[in-house]
Amino acid sequence: MNTSASLHNTASPRSSHLAIQLTLGSFRLDIDTQWDAQVAVLFGPSGSGKSSVLETLLGLQPSARAHLQLAGELLEDSEKGFRLAPEKRGLGWVPQESTLFPHLSVRQNLSFGKKRAGPQAASIFQQAVEVLEIGSFLDRNVETLSGGERQRVALARALASNPRALLLDEPLAALDRNLRARILPFLLRVRDEFGLPMLYITHDPDEAVLLGETLLVLEEGRVVANGPAREVLWSPAALPLAEALGLENVFEARVAAEGSTSTQVHIKGGQQLTLGDPLPSDSAVTLAIRAEDVLISTVPTETLSARNTLKAKVLRCAPHRGHVHVHLDLGGEELVARLTPAAVSSLELQVGKTVYAIVKAQAIQQIS
Amino acid sequence: MVAGEVWSMTWLTLRVAATATLLSLPIAIAMGYFMARKDFPGKSLLQALIALPMVLPPVAVGLGLLYLLSPQGPLAWFWDLLGLRLAFTPAAAVLAASVVGFPLLERSCEQAFAAIPRRFEQVSRTLGRNPWATFFRVVLPLGQRGVLYGSLLAFTRALGEFGATALVAGILPGRTETLALGIYSQVQLGDDTAAFALCGVSFLLSLAALLAAEGWVGREIKGQRL
């Protein structure tokens, strides 16, 4: 349901622009950011303001000053005194905690947004039920559902209201790791089959890399990085966060040959890595290496147990909280190693110097 | 006293208590929701004022009401405008019962609504329902047991109401004489048998209402997962 007021300010149907100023006690949210992608991931530690951004978007933070344009639609413009009520924004929201209405059956929960869904209500209801495979428990009481079933129903309820965009607030956070892996494919199906613009909030790097085209990194109420997922995880601004998550180095790789106890993969630029886990050959994988797991040698070495010795050039050395991040060029990919200042000076690491990065097979994590 | 009089007195008592509860209900629901969801300066004072009729001597409440209803009182212009004289009518008995039962009803509604996570209302709004629809489709159904429980408590309180009713409605046989007032006047007349008979009827009515409140609705509230 579009209001005429919101139709004026339509740019590209995917372009979004959020400018929000909000003070809640001692916390201050101040962002001004834009993107142009079907799926944007808002990424950051808890307490960084992710939920406040979401609540402002939904129209549930009346004290925020904001200019909100989501997927081409203007929702709010404090300057002009324009503010759509939450029920007029047409957003499908899946909150973190289960918020299925306990007094309604699964079917009644799904039909709750039927009025807004308009003439397509019946077909979109059917599509949501099919994509999320919840047809077998439509007439159950929501209190009897498992955690994974609840989140699928919550997602279906948001979809069945025929929203113009989906806002997902850590929809998998309440689930254990196993269950998460089973629900993720449903999210990917929703993304691909409904084709709706999505804003996905998470502090889980796997979900961020898997789902998002664009990644917005939020820290202490500010957007510190914004761009394609992998570039952002590498940007200097996001490095402290990536470090906390063990994601300083993220590579796309293709499996070249599978052994019984190890796997060879190729990364961009042609270098080869050896992993400790067997993987199906010719599959694409995403790998992460912690900066502290990378050793640097100035001479090629064959006397170490580590399986990976990669020729590299020093790009730059950046001091950071008592240690040094040494950025290496692997001939296409960049690798960050964390060293002590003493090691950097005794190895005489300078920009352009040729060195060898050494990584144990076991230190390479597969994240997707 | 004949059986017919006992029956008509019982019927009057039930009617007065039920009318009083039904009249208070919308106000108590609105007030309870407001108090459960809003914070404002002076909220504690307002809460105390709402609870006041519950702890004041009922006779004092009755005197206050009588003053407000009297043709010489501060609201005289209002009663003149409507052409109403409520004091010493069944309507006055209903008013007295409403005022003393209201705090129980309002408090129960307030607690029921306060226990409902706001997220439910927020989700309802984002699914396209305006605040009114959200109230009737989400808040009221989720709080209905508390509302029902409070209604039964207020109804029970109204059944036994004496002090305020005696002052503002008088003890007019067949007109305002409810069971509680009947017991008092039978004792005054020295008819202990009749007084005890009326006590017995009061006892059964109150017991039934309390059993309904505690046994059924009360248990449901405890078992409710919210």
Side-chain angles (χ1 to χ4, degrees):
Chain A
M1 197 168 71
N2 299 326
T3 68
S4 55
S6 65
L7 280 173
H8 292 309
N9 199 316
T10 46
S12 145
R14 306 203 308 176
S15 89
S16 300
H17 175 210
L18 307 185
I20 304 173
Q21 281 137 35
L22 172 68
T23 307
L24 294 170
S26 63
F27 175 76
R28 188 162 163 70
L29 179 70
D30 189 351
I31 65 170
D32 189 343
T33 190
Q34 42 196 323
W35 68 90
D36 191 345
Q38 187 203 341
V39 183
V41 173
L42 188 57
F43 185 66
S46 54
S48 57
K50 302 191 296 286
S51 294
S52 299
V53 171
L54 200 75
E55 285 177 358
T56 306
L57 260 173
L58 289 162
L60 303 173
Q61 280 288 3
S63 63
R65 281 195 61 73
H67 176 96
L68 307 172
Q69 179 184 301
L70 190 67
E73 297 278 353
L74 187 68
L75 303 175
E76 185 166 341
D77 186 350
S78 304
E79 296 276 305
K80 298 200 175 92
F82 172 70
R83 187 166 189 280
L84 282 179
E87 63 268 27
K88 301 251 167 72
R89 296 194 176 202
L91 300 175
W93 176 32
V94 181
Q96 189 171 352
E97 67 275 36
S98 171
T99 46
L100 298 178
F101 299 118
H103 60 298
L104 302 177
S105 71
V106 171
R107 186 190 299 277
Q108 290 167 324
N109 264 279
L110 253 64
S111 302
F112 198 88
K114 174 170 77 178
K115 189 160 153 262
R116 189 182 67 205
Q120 294 141 292
S123 65
I124 204 147
F125 179 102
Q126 211 46 47
Q127 195 187 358
V129 168
E130 277 161 26
V131 168
L132 291 153
E133 296 175 15
I134 58 175
S136 60
F137 47 87
L138 275 180
D139 293 307
R140 292 248 304 271
N141 179 335
V142 297
E143 302 280 343
T144 66
L145 301 181
S146 71
E149 288 167 342
R150 276 165 183 262
Q151 280 314 65
R152 271 151 66 199
V153 173
L155 201 52
R157 179 177 65 180
L159 288 168
S161 74
N162 197 9
R164 55 182 173 227
L166 271 185
L167 303 184
L168 308 174
D169 187 3
E170 309 207 26
L172 307 181
L175 309 177
D176 66 46
R177 215 161 174 82
N178 260 333
L179 207 49
R180 237 182 269 186
R182 297 229 304 270
I183 304 295
L184 256 174
F186 286 108
L187 283 173
L188 295 173
R189 277 176 73 179
V190 165
R191 179 188 70 183
D192 299 336
E193 294 194 19
F194 283 82
L196 285 169
M198 278 166 71
L199 182 63
Y200 189 95
I201 293 195
T202 186
H203 64 258
D204 185 306
D206 301 10
E207 290 168 31
V209 171
L210 194 62
L211 282 159
E213 299 162 64
T214 286
L215 199 60
L216 310 163
V217 180
L218 198 63
E219 260 185 21
E220 292 173 1
R222 284 169 187 281
V223 173
V224 295
N226 171 1
R230 296 193 54 238
E231 275 176 33
V232 162
L233 284 173
W234 267 0
S235 74
L239 199 56
L241 182 69
E243 190 174 14
L245 297 163
L247 280 183
E248 298 96 323
N249 298 298
V250 177
F251 299 111
E252 306 288 338
R254 185 155 283 282
V255 177
E258 182 196 359
S260 54
T261 57
S262 66
T263 308
Q264 311 289 324
V265 301
H266 285 298
I267 58 174
K268 201 164 79 186
Q271 298 234 49
Q272 189 172 306
L273 286 174
T274 302
L275 274 66
D277 305 308
L279 288 172
S281 59
D282 209 37
S283 55
V285 291
T286 306
L287 305 174
I289 304 172
R290 302 196 69 117
E292 67 193 38
D293 288 334
V294 180
L295 307 179
I296 292 181
S297 164
T298 50
V299 293
T301 168
E302 275 148 25
T303 57
L304 282 171
S305 64
R307 300 320 305 151
N308 297 293
T309 303
L310 306 164
K311 193 171 178 188
K313 268 198 168 61
V314 176
L315 281 172
R316 65 178 187 278
C317 297
H320 177 77
R321 289 186 196 160
H323 48 257
V324 180
H325 280 134
V326 180
H327 294 252
L328 302 171
D329 179 6
L330 299 180
E333 290 282 9
E334 191 175 316
L335 182 72
V336 181
R338 192 170 108 177
L339 271 62
T340 61
V344 172
S345 61
S346 79
L347 291 176
E348 296 174 339
L349 295 183
Q350 286 151 355
V351 173
K353 180 168 178 142
T354 297
V355 294
Y356 297 87
I358 298 162
V359 184
K360 288 170 66 173
Q362 302 297 344
I364 304 175
Q365 302 294 321
Q366 186 203 340
I367 59 175
S368 71
Chain B
M1 236 193 136
V2 294
E5 284 177 284
V6 177
W7 284 123
S8 69
M9 207 180 276
T10 307
W11 179 230
L12 176 70
T13 307
L14 287 172
R15 266 187 1 222
V16 166
T19 313
T21 309
L22 288 176
L23 284 180
S24 311
L25 198 56
I27 307 167
I29 288 174
M31 196 86 187
Y33 184 64
F34 178 78
M35 297 294 280
R37 284 294 186 247
K38 300 281 183 222
D39 276 313
F40 51 91
K43 183 173 175 180
S44 314
L45 181 66
L46 184 57
Q47 238 150 2
L49 285 175
I50 292 172
L52 217 51
M54 199 162 58
V55 289
L56 274 178
V59 177
V61 174
L63 189 60
L65 285 175
L66 194 58
Y67 175 60
L68 291 177
L69 292 185
S70 93
Q72 284 81 43
L75 296 179
W77 62 271
F78 181 68
W79 305 122
D80 286 343
L81 195 72
L82 298 179
L84 275 178
R85 291 281 174 269
L86 291 184
F88 310 111
T89 65
V94 168
L95 184 68
S98 301
V99 170
V100 295
F102 182 81
L104 292 164
L105 185 49
E106 189 278 339
R107 184 53 61 94
S108 184
C109 292
E110 183 180 332
Q111 284 172 350
F113 296 145
I116 302 170
R118 272 172 213 238
R119 275 281 187 253
F120 287 124
E121 288 159 72
Q122 296 175 330
V123 168
S124 165
R125 296 288 301 281
T126 66
L127 288 169
R129 302 289 186 177
N130 65 29
W132 284 99
T134 295
F135 182 80
F136 285 107
R137 285 172 177 272
V138 176
V139 179
L140 207 50
L142 285 176
Q144 65 178 356
R145 287 176 180 138
V147 174
L148 200 52
Y149 180 73
S151 302
L152 283 167
L153 284 186
F155 178 72
T156 314
R157 176 66 185 84
L159 284 180
E161 167 45 34
F162 175 79
T165 314
L167 240 77
V168 81
I171 307 179
L172 308 175
R175 196 163 147 75
T176 64
E177 192 182 29
T178 59
L179 285 167
L181 299 174
I183 293 167
Y184 178 76
S185 52
Q186 292 309 313
V187 172
Q188 292 291 301
L189 293 170
D191 190 346
D192 289 355
T193 319
F196 276 116
L198 295 178
C199 279
V201 176
S202 283
F203 172 81
L204 289 176
L205 285 184
S206 302
L207 188 69
L210 280 177
L211 275 178
E214 298 298 334
W216 172 55
V217 188
R219 192 176 48 223
E220 294 275 319
I221 285 175
K222 279 171 214 141
Q224 198 172 15
R225 287 169 53 190
L226 261 184

